[in-house]
Amino acid sequence: MVSEYTQAKADMSIILASEEFKLHNIRSNISHIQSQYKKDQLTGCLNRYSLEEDWKTIIKRYNDISVVFFDLDNLKYVNDTLGHEAGDIYIKNFANDIKNVISNKDYFYRYGGDEFIVMGTVHGEQEIEEYWQRVKDRIEEYNSDGRM
């Protein structure tokens, strides 16, 4: 009788460990999915859905925040003449370049297609002007020469 009880207890421990492992995998998958649904798959930027979720939190967290909405020119031309894969590369390179110009404290969203939003947390008039001038210069580079 004791050996049956011991065996049953061991079997239950194995089943419990197996279920805990499955639960760990499910939680891990959920976490991965949650991080992915907030990011644009092409650029790695936060996406429009994330913007809609983040907006109120960001406004509450920071007293001063500046928002810039911009788009990438020449995308239709690139897509029509070189193909959509080239257009994707154009968008991705542009996004990476902007990421290198903005602060890692800022929020960078791909709103859709060739439209982007940056919410900057820079402070002081001089700092804001210099910061956004760097971003503006980079955008104008892309919009003027359509480089890839």
Side-chain angles (χ1 to χ4, degrees), residues 76-94:
K76 181 172 176 14
Y77 175 78
V78 172
N79 282 337
D80 290 349
T81 57
L82 302 173
H84 287 274
E85 283 184 36
D88 287 350
I89 292 169
Y90 188 50
I91 291 170
K92 188 175 182 177
N93 288 345
F94 174 74

